[in-house]
Amino acid sequence: MCEGNCKDCEKSETEHDKGRRKVLSWSVGIINLAVIAGIFAPVAGFIGSPLKNKAKDDWIDVLGEDEIEVGETKEVKFKTMVEDGYQTIQREYVVFMRRYPDKIVVFDPSCTHLGCRVLYKKEQGRYLCPCHGGVFDEDGKVVSGPPPQALVKHGVRVENGRILVNRRAGIGA
Amino acid sequence: MAREVLSPEEPVVREVDTTQEERLIADRPSLKDWTDLRLGWWGFVRKNMDEPMPAGVGWWQTLGNLLMTLLAFQFTTGVALAMFYSPGTESAYLSVKHINEGHPVGLFVRGLHVWGSTLIVIATVLHLLRVFFWGSYKKPRELTWVMGVMIFNVILGFSFTGYLLPWDQKAYWATTVGTRIAATIPVVGQSMMVLIRGGEEVGALTLTRFYAIHVMVLPALLIGFTGLHLYLVRRHHIAGPVVPVKGPPVKFFPNQLFKDAIVVLFGVGLLAYMSLAMPPGLDGIANPAGTDFAPRPEWYFLGMYELLKIMPAGWEVIATAIIPGLVTMGMFLVPWIDRAESRHPAYRQTIIIAGIAVILMIGLMTLKGVLETPPEGGHQSKPPDVSATIKQ
């Protein structure tokens, strides 16, 4: 039986070397993969952490119920504290609020095409996007242009005569 | 029969019998062949994998690969940290605090980067010492040595500039003292200090300047010098043991690369362990008005720090510029200072003794600094006892 001494081994020296080389080659590959994975995995997790960090829901008191009339569309600005990476800062937001007889709807001012800020034209009853010509009606629906969908709505609540808006568009709407 | 490939000697395809499968194979090379035809990468890889290693080469020659691996990880963790770091005096500290506390692996990644810098310095010194004692810098490898010393200096530059970036008390005061060292140089010292700091004081422009150097200038230099170093190592091949060992040369892959992989596994494992067991701290935010903080540099600069302590007033330039300058120049000129023909230490006693003397000097000073380092959080120096000087 071969005891590893190539002189006595029944296998040829070349086959012995080939077997050893194969084991070493695989070992090199496995060790390198383990080392790379061991370092890149936490780094990738760190770089990708924003995917897991969701902004908190934030209901902000923006207006009194009596400050907007039925049929009126109003541009409403409000400030709130937000966590922006390593800092907590006060940031100002703007939304368009429209009061219907039975509800209040709040639209996000970002055009659904590529995110430009839409302008409200009261005379025409339209939201116009200055970037690529998108046009929305007062209900937020696309009238013309490239936008693929209606204006995104913010969640709205009325409590004790105050109108609260969810800072995150599309949530609770 | 396989279809013949066109060549300048045989420009016309001969009519031979080929199966459809053979024609498909000939027309659709494998990805390896397709890329090899255009890049020639396989030949390059094979040439390096088959590099013959002289008998006697083994574990001592693994330090270079370990160093390269640690540098690659510094780049990787550095890029990740740079995505969350902000180099402003109002935001740097907060961003580092956020990295530490706001992400599940942020502290670990920062630990890899901080401890990585320590391990890189250790690996570089061991690698340099191995090459020095084996005389592997001798003709025709002088420039390989010079490139290595350049890389060592760039690594120290990385450590110095990176130390400021957290903008905590340790960073601020260590940089204040470290940059003040430049001012001890006669004539040009003050201007050099202002240039390094981006102003007369350590401030916002020092931070942005150090950040730009740390993430753009030094990486570019490192890549350049490392590329040249590796090219020269491959050009001149490994020097082999000092006393030739009998035996046939062995291919680099997989024999030497296996040893490299084991050492890398150990080194990276140590790095990960240190990052988990001893996560890097963060002192209070930099406070220029603070009077109770005793600055200390990173451990590999402690030698100079201790040397400064023993210099009498007015003679600081000896510790800050003359001795370090002579040591650095000496390191560069080692291949030309050592006139011995042989690589054997017995025939190179002068340079070996000089090298050991320098190593002992630096080592003992560094040890002294380490032993006198106050425990964690003990940077606050005791106010001097002035009661004896107050006249009653």
Side-chain angles (χ1 to χ4, degrees):
Chain A
M1 185 172 167
C2 176
E3 292 180 352
N5 186 338
C6 288
K7 287 180 191 171
D8 303 327
C9 191
E10 286 180 13
K11 292 184 185 177
S12 70
E13 192 170 358
T14 307
E15 281 181 35
H16 233 283
D17 283 343
K18 274 185 187 170
R20 182 174 171 274
R21 198 157 37 241
K22 201 170 178 184
V23 168
L24 289 180
S25 305
W26 274 99
S27 301
V28 167
I30 290 167
I31 291 171
N32 283 334
L33 275 173
V35 163
I36 290 169
I39 294 296
F40 278 92
V43 169
F46 182 48
I47 292 174
S49 60
L51 290 169
K52 289 189 298 186
N53 294 340
K54 296 289 180 196
K56 291 184 192 142
D57 268 356
D58 210 2
W59 289 92
I60 299 130
D61 182 338
V62 302
L63 210 62
E65 234 190 316
D66 54 356
E67 291 179 71
I68 183 168
E69 293 172 7
V70 175
E72 185 184 358
T73 297
K74 201 166 188 166
E75 181 183 289
V76 177
K77 288 185 182 175
F78 60 92
K79 292 182 185 176
T80 185
M81 299 300 288
V82 294
E83 281 184 22
D84 182 12
Y86 54 83
Q87 56 187 353
T88 302
I89 53 166
Q90 190 181 65
R91 188 172 273 174
E92 190 174 45
Y93 292 90
V94 64
V95 293
F96 291 108
M97 186 180 291
R98 179 165 175 79
R99 189 164 190 176
Y100 295 85
D102 57 340
K103 63 182 177 181
I104 295 170
V105 172
V106 173
F107 296 112
D108 191 87
S110 298
C111 178
T112 52
H113 180 221
L114 288 172
C116 291
R117 189 58 53 87
V118 299
L119 307 165
Y120 177 64
K121 297 293 178 189
K122 189 178 176 181
E123 324 69 61
Q124 297 153 309
R126 294 279 186 264
Y127 296 97
L128 305 180
C129 178
C131 289
H132 308 105
V135 181
F136 305 83
D137 64 15
E138 282 198 305
D139 297 326
K141 296 197 190 77
V142 180
V143 171
S144 67
Q149 62 185 61
L151 290 175
V152 178
K153 295 176 188 168
H154 286 250
V156 185
R157 291 209 294 241
V158 180
E159 288 176 5
N160 302 320
R162 301 295 303 175
I163 301 171
L164 281 71
V165 172
N166 192 311
R167 179 174 66 82
R168 293 175 65 202
I171 305 297
Chain B
M1 290 177 69
R3 190 177 72 174
E4 290 194 14
V5 176
L6 291 178
S7 68
E9 293 76 28
E10 295 285 344
V12 178
V13 176
R14 293 183 189 165
E15 293 296 321
V16 293
D17 291 332
T18 55
T19 65
Q20 189 183 17
E21 190 184 4
E22 284 174 345
R23 283 197 292 276
L24 275 172
I25 289 168
D27 289 332
R28 286 190 199 162
S30 65
L31 183 63
K32 173 178 164 262
D33 289 338
W34 191 93
T35 51
D36 188 36
L37 178 65
R38 286 148 182 81
L39 300 172
W41 66 275
W42 185 239
F44 176 80
V45 168
R46 260 276 66 94
K47 183 167 173 272
N48 284 284
M49 292 296 114
D50 291 344
E51 171 87 2
M53 310 292 287
V57 163
W59 295 99
W60 281 114
Q61 277 71 26
T62 59
L63 291 167
N65 201 328
L66 172 64
L67 195 46
M68 246 185 6
T69 305
L70 290 173
L71 284 170
F73 289 158
Q74 283 301 92
F75 268 107
T76 309
T77 53
V79 166
L81 290 170
M83 291 185 181
F84 291 86
Y85 174 75
S86 177
T89 52
E90 300 292 316
S91 53
Y93 183 82
L94 287 175
S95 63
V96 173
K97 196 164 188 288
H98 186 68
I99 288 169
N100 280 2
E101 299 167 8
H103 297 270
V105 288
L107 187 59
F108 178 63
V109 173
R110 185 167 167 242
L112 289 175
H113 199 74
V114 170
W115 284 115
S117 70
T118 285
L119 287 183
I120 279 174
V121 170
I122 293 173
T124 309
V125 169
L126 288 175
H127 183 59
L128 265 168
L129 289 178
R130 202 275 303 161
V131 173
F132 173 75
F133 283 108
W134 282 45
S136 303
Y137 51 75
K138 286 192 169 295
K139 175 183 169 182
R141 298 181 178 86
E142 300 96 327
L143 291 182
T144 317
W145 169 266
V146 169
M147 287 299 116
V149 176
M150 291 299 303
I151 291 168
F152 179 55
N153 282 284
V154 167
I155 286 169
L156 292 179
F158 268 116
S159 301
F160 185 67
T161 52
Y163 209 66
L164 176 65
L165 301 186
W167 197 249
D168 62 357
Q169 284 283 65
K170 187 169 74 168
Y172 179 86
W173 288 106
T175 303
T176 298
V177 173
T179 51
R180 181 73 179 78
I181 281 170
T184 60
I185 299 170
V187 183
V188 297
Q190 184 67 22
S191 300
M192 278 180 65
M193 185 187 74
V194 171
L195 195 63
I196 293 167
R197 286 182 175 181
E200 292 192 349
E201 295 174 348
V202 172
L205 290 183
T206 319
L207 193 50
T208 50
R209 191 161 287 224
F210 275 33
Y211 186 62
I213 292 169
H214 191 78
V215 304
M216 287 188 275
V217 175
L218 291 176
L221 287 175
L222 184 67
I223 289 168
F225 290 140
T226 305
L228 276 171
H229 187 75
L230 290 174
Y231 163 72
L232 290 169
V233 168
R234 277 286 160 262
R235 177 179 167 80
H236 298 300
H237 307 291
I238 202 98
V242 171
V243 176
V245 171
K246 284 183 185 171
V250 174
K251 285 185 185 177
F252 177 70
F253 180 82
N255 305 283
Q256 183 61 29
L257 199 53
F258 174 74
K259 293 189 178 84
D260 286 354
I262 295 294
V263 169
V264 162
L265 184 64
F266 173 76
V268 172
L270 180 63
L271 175 61
Y273 168 74
M274 288 162 83
S275 306
L276 284 169
M278 294 174 283
L282 194 63
D283 285 336
I285 191 169
N287 178 12
T291 54
D292 63 346
F293 194 87
R296 293 187 77 79
E298 193 57 272
W299 67 269
Y300 30 85
F301 291 124
L302 280 173
M304 183 195 277
Y305 178 80
E306 291 297 319
L307 201 59
L308 267 168
K309 280 186 190 174
I310 62 178
M311 287 293 141
W315 295 88
E316 296 87 4
V317 68
I318 295 178
T320 60
I322 294 175
I323 293 178
L326 285 172
V327 169
T328 305
M329 284 310 299
M331 283 176 74
F332 276 113
L333 296 174
V334 156
W336 294 278
I337 295 172
D338 179 5
R339 312 301 296 175
E341 292 285 332
S342 168
R343 289 173 56 203
H344 198 288
Y347 299 99
R348 298 162 47 223
Q349 289 183 17
T350 309
I351 193 78
I352 294 287
I353 290 168
I356 290 173
V358 169
I359 292 161
L360 276 176
M361 180 188 78
I362 297 173
L364 286 171
M365 284 294 178
T366 304
L367 184 64
K368 180 175 181 292
V370 169
L371 291 174
E372 290 178 7
T373 298
E376 192 63 36
H379 288 292
Q380 279 68 31
S381 55
K382 291 181 192 168
D385 182 6
V386 296
S387 58
T389 64
I390 298 172
K391 289 185 181 172
Q392 297 293 332

